[in-house]
């Protein structure tokens, strides 16, 4: 047995997500990403003497959405707290956060394959403000400070130590990112730092009851790097234990270039943040009505949609996963299925041609030129046999993309793509086709049924592809079998 | 032209009648400030702006334009209150050359009512102190006896009114910083209910205690100032939405026949630290109130000895965090020798803050540190709640609580060297900020040593009108 398999890995993740509110958490300053350095700053952001915070209610709304999405209890009486530490990009010398009364507690999310999901506990979600940015590489002598980010609202999502592998951690953050994007509360961009993750990792022998000593790993700027960092750390810890060394509680930093972690600070030098209730802000009271109002505004969540698509619409797990992977895709699909009952076809159109268009053009589905009315029409044209599927994909669909102001049927008529359903016309074509191949007709009658394809091909060719194949087949069969 | 100040309303009538102009009034005060420069009251005098405002007001009156409630009113501000474009230092080297980018809400409100801001006054560094000896810009002298302290921390604002260098002034009170110097200087000093006056733009000492309040010679003037500065402020989440009464009008029209119910703590008045003459004066007042038909009853208050410890644990905790922003990084004093971030912060703070401020930051850091947090901070929070409940309980049965403002009259400069002894002198003033109740020091008495002292009255929450009303009553007949 592999020595690594004799260990169990225990991981808990802390995910910080930057909320997409227009203004900052405790001031009216603009919270947008970027901007010329130190332009989104008032005396409050600058922490000037005498300035005071005023809570932005949108922060609460966004945080509650996430809490509800993670099946958390929402705390009714919320106290803000100060977390004290000195750093150049923290102008007040403390961060306003929540300590003893996090807004959301005791929730969970589901990760993993549909039908075999694993519950990952959410210990808490709390609201806080971000610090500014220290820029070390712009000036040869000085560290520069940009306070545009200082005071922007964050939520910190803390998981229970329920994750058992790097893959589970990967799935967990992917799910968290999907949720925040779905709820429109964060853009989920790890590279720009709007979603950040710290991992607490420990290992223990499989029969061990107590957790091992945990190590905190920081600075992983992509989901892939979270996985890499955890994989590295698991191996490092097990190797160390196997060598008879003890794991020290510490904070380590991940280096994306060589995929390793290195020590940042030990437990002894850890900060004492001296949390205490923020006296400048009165307690924030959340009422049942406020919770209900937020619930009413919440979109259906990816997991709920998965269930719906699989159980009610009878789509495959694969289809359902693709349709729920991005919020806008699911919104488009949701709109489409209010107009057509051919769910499978609706799903196929989105997963196929529509997504292909998005990928080719690197655009969001909301920028896709055709409306759900177009797709509804197309599905109906095919289902009623008015137009052949191949003709739609090859001719009508590309044409519509260029002329999205047309209706699908209108453009099909204009381009003369509507299938010939007039049986007398098709009958005439069928007669012509059979007359063209008398020997083949005889062969068919002698049992070579495979020749039907030849006759069909001829009818289609003569009709310019517009003959309804069902009708044509029927007429040809009648003529061949009857005569 | 000579000017003698009696009250804001009288002054305004004289200006309207053309007996004197606002410009003359400002000249008068500038002259007094110059004459009494040795008192070290003002850190900066805004002569130019004061004259401009005075002339603008004189022009308004000439052209019969509407004038604000405080037109002609010459106000001095404790140097913890931010004025746009002016320095604000909290009497600290760490903010020595710091210019504020904005007006405190109280400044906005004063200016909107045409007040004339004459200057910023000296105080204890970051409002920490009881004698003004902690200012990094030198002591303020008591105008009645220059060897005595004016009290603190708002000593400059108290002396400014005492010595006639302005009509009224603003101070801040965290543990008695308005009432104690008012008592030492023989003027009215009032701490409003916590949440009554905006703290926006006021340099914080202890956020859940700090309140801005007026110094004045009369209850009417204090009332007028307070009604201008009080009220909900969208920039300060701790301000109350309760409407502000027109205190000045209300107390002008008050009936003298109202009979009040007072409580007093025999343990407080009888406390061993209380000067016998102060004790006697207060007992005499109690007798006189009774004789006038008011009810005055002794009330047991068990928590007297807990007040100062609770106060110092909680205020230093908050202060240790509030003063973290003064780090030499973004503004204020920076130690030039330091190059690394940690050294910049450490050295700037070590050199920029005075001794008492550093002492309180260290105390506060200690009581919040892990391992000691529950024993000190959490415990003190609990006791604060108990004291609040008990005070609430007393004030549900009585209109007011009577206390000495201070156990002694103004002491000599340099006389108290032990910080603990200095802290204990706050024993009677810390209750009101611990509970958030309004309290006022009324200048009723003069000691045989020549120095004045006040009677302190604690009122019900948001009952500033009643507090000013009883002040007026006492000033008239006691």
């Amino acid at each position: 047995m592999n020595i690594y398999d004799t260990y169990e890995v225990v991981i808990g993740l802390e995910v910080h997500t930057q909320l997409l509110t227009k203004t900052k958490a405790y001031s009216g300053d603009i919270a947008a990403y970027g901007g010329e350095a130190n332009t989104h700053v008032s005396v409050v952001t600058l922490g000037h003497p005498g300035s005071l915070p005023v809570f932005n209610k949108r922060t609460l709304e966004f945080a509650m959405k996430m809490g509800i999405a993670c099946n958390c209890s929402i705390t009714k009486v919320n106290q803000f707290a100060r977390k004290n530490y000195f750093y150049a990009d923290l102008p007040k010398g403390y961060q306003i956060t929540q300590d003893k009364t996090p807004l959301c507690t005791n929730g969970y999310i589901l990760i993993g394959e549909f039908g075999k999901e694993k519950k990952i506990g959410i210990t808490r979600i709390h609201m806080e403000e971000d610090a500014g940015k220290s820029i070390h590489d712009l000036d040869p002598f000085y560290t520069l400070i940009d306070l545009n980010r200082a005071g922007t609202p964050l939520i910190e999502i803390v998981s229970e130590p329920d994750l058992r592998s790097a893959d589970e951690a990967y799935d967990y953050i992917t799910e968290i990112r999907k949720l925040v994007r779905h709820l429109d509360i964060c853009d989920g961009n790890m590279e720009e730092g709007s979603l950040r993750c710290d991992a607490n990792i420990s290992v223990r022998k499989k029969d061990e009851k107590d957790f091992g000593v945990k190590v905190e790993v920081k600075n992983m700027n992509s989901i892939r790097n979270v996985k890499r960092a955890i994989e590295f750390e698991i191996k490092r810890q097990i190797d160390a234990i196997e060598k008879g060394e003890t794991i020290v509680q510490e904070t380590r930093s991940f280096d994306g270039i060589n995929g390793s972690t290195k020590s940042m600070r030990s437990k002894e030098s850890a900060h004492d943040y001296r949390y205490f209730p923020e006296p400048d802000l009165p307690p924030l009271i959340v009422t049942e009505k406020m919770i209900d109002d937020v619930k009413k505004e919440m979109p259906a969540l990816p997991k709920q949609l998965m269930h719906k698509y699989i159980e009610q619409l009878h789509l495959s797990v694969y289809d359902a996963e693709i349709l729920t992977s991005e919020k806008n895709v699911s919104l488009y699909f949701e709109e489409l299925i209010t107009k057509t009952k051919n769910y499978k076809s609706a799903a196929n159109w989105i997963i196929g041609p529509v997504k292909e268009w998005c990928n080719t053009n690197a655009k969001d589905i909301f920028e896709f030129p055709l409306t759900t009315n177009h797709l509804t029409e197309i599905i109906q044209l095919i289902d009623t046999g008015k137009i052949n599927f191949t003709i739609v994909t090859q001719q009508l669909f590309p044409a519509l993309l260029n002329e999205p102001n047309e209706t699908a049927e209108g453009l099909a008529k204009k381009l003369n793509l509507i299938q010939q359903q007039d049986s007398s016309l098709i009958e005439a074509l069928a007669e012509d086709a059979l007359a063209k191949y008398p020997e083949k007709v005889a062969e068919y009658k002698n049992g070579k049924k495979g020749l039907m394809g030849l006759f069909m091909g001829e009818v289609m060719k003569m009709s310019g592809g517009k003959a309804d194949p069902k009708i044509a087949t029927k007429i040809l069969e009648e003529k061949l079998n009857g005569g | 032209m000579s000017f003698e100040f009696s009250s804001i309303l009288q002054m305004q009538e004289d200006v309207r009648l053309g007996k004197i102009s606002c410009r003359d009034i400002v000249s008068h005060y500038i002259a007094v400030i110059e004459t009494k420069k040795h008192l070290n009251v003002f850190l900066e005098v805004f002569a130019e702006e004061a004259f401009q405002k005075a002339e603008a007001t004189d022009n308004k009156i000439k052209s019969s334009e509407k004038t604000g409630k405080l037109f002609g009113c010459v106000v001095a501000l404790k140097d913890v209150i931010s004025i746009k474009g002016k320095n604000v230092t909290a009497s600290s080297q760490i903010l020595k050359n710091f210019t504020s980018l904005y007006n405190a809400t109280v400044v906005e409100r004063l200016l909107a009512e045409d007040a004339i801001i004459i200057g910023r006054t000296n105080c204890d560094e970051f409002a920490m102190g009881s004698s003004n000896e902690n200012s990094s810009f030198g002591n303020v002298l008591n105008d009645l006896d220059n060897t005595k302290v004016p009290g603190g921390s708002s000593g400059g604002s108290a002396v400014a009114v005492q010595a006639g260098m302005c009509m009224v002034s603003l101070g801040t009170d965290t543990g008695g910083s308005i009432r104690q110097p008012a008592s030492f200087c023989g003027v009215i000093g009032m701490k409003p209910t916590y949440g009554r006056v905006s703290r926006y733009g006021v340099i914080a000492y202890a956020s859940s205690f700090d309140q801005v309040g007026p110094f004045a010679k009369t209850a009417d003037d204090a009332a007028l100032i307070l009604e201008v500065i009080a009220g909900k402020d969208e920039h300060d989440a701790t301000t109350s939405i309760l409407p502000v009464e027109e205190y000045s009008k209300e107390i002008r029209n008050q009936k003298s026949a109202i009979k009040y119910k007072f409580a007093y703590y025999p343990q407080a008045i009888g406390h061993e630290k209380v000067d016998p003459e102060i004790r006697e004066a207060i007992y005499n007042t109690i007798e006189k109130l009774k004789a006038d038909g008011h009810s005055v009853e002794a009330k047991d208050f068990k928590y007297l000895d807990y007040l100062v410890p609770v106060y110092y644990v909680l205020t230093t905790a908050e202060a240790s965090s509030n003063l973290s922003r003064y780090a030499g990084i973004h503004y204020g004093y920076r130690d030039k020798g330091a190059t690394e971030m940690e050294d910049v912060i450490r050295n700037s703070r070590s050199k920029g803050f005075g001794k008492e401020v550093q002492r309180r930051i260290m105390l506060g850091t200690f009581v919040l540190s892990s391992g000691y947090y529950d024993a000190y901070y959490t415990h003190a929070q609990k006791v604060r709640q108990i004291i609040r409940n008990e005070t609430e309980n007393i004030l549900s049965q009585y209109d007011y609580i009577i206390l000495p403002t201070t156990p002694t009259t103004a002491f000599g400069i340099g006389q108290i060297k032990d910080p603990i002894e200095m802290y204990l002198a706050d024993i009677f003033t810390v209750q009101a900020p611990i509970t958030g109740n309004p309290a006022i020091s009324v200048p009723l008495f003069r000691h045989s040593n020549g120095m004045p002292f006040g009677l302190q009255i604690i009122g019900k929450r948001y009952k500033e009108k009643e507090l000013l009303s009883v002040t007026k009553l006492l000033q008239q007949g006691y």
Side-chain angles (χ1 to χ4, degrees), chain A residues 251-392:
Chain A
T251 302
R252 299 176 71 88
S253 175
F254 178 68
D255 181 345
I257 293 166
N258 58 29
S260 67
T261 66
K262 63 171 189 293
S263 186
M264 274 170 83
R265 56 173 178 260
S266 67
K267 190 198 175 191
E268 285 70 34
S269 60
H271 294 296
D272 179 356
Y273 290 118
R274 309 189 318 276
Y275 287 96
F276 74 103
E278 163 59 287
D280 286 330
L281 292 168
L284 179 68
I285 310 296
V286 177
T287 61
E288 283 295 341
K289 186 181 177 302
M290 287 159 79
I291 298 172
D292 287 343
D293 288 348
V294 169
K295 277 185 182 162
K296 271 179 218 151
E297 271 186 33
M298 300 247 305
L301 299 170
K303 287 278 182 226
Q304 294 166 337
L305 292 174
M306 282 283 284
H307 275 274
K308 177 179 161 186
Y309 297 165
I310 294 164
E311 285 153 16
Q312 294 171 29
L313 311 188
H314 305 294
L315 300 179
S316 69
V317 172
Y318 174 80
D319 287 356
E321 255 166 17
I322 294 179
L323 291 171
T324 56
S325 62
E326 287 171 53
K327 187 192 179 190
N328 289 347
V329 171
S330 67
L331 283 178
Y332 194 92
F333 181 68
E334 282 288 299
E335 190 183 307
L336 184 56
I337 59 173
T338 60
K339 295 171 180 171
T340 175
K341 294 277 166 284
N342 192 342
Y343 307 125
K344 178 65 191 157
S345 199
N348 286 346
W349 274 99
I350 289 177
I351 293 166
V354 178
K355 283 218 77 170
E356 194 190 312
W357 180 90
C358 295
N359 291 341
T360 315
N361 296 287
K363 283 188 170 164
D364 187 89
I365 193 166
F366 270 18
E367 295 169 276
F368 180 61
L370 304 189
T371 65
T372 51
N373 285 340
H374 281 123
L375 286 192
T376 309
E377 251 191 298
I378 285 173
I379 292 166
Q380 206 173 359
L381 286 169
I382 294 167
D383 286 353
T384 55
K386 284 195 174 167
I387 192 160
N388 172 296
F389 178 81
T390 318
I391 300 232
V392 173

Side-chain angles (χ1 to χ4, degrees), chain A residues 171-190:
Chain A
D171 289 349
Y172 172 83
I173 311 181
T174 307
E175 186 61 27
I176 292 282
R177 186 169 69 175
K178 205 194 257 190
L179 278 174
V180 295
R181 285 179 171 169
H182 214 85
L183 295 168
D184 252 338
I185 59 172
C186 171
D187 63 23
N189 189 331
M190 284 191 82

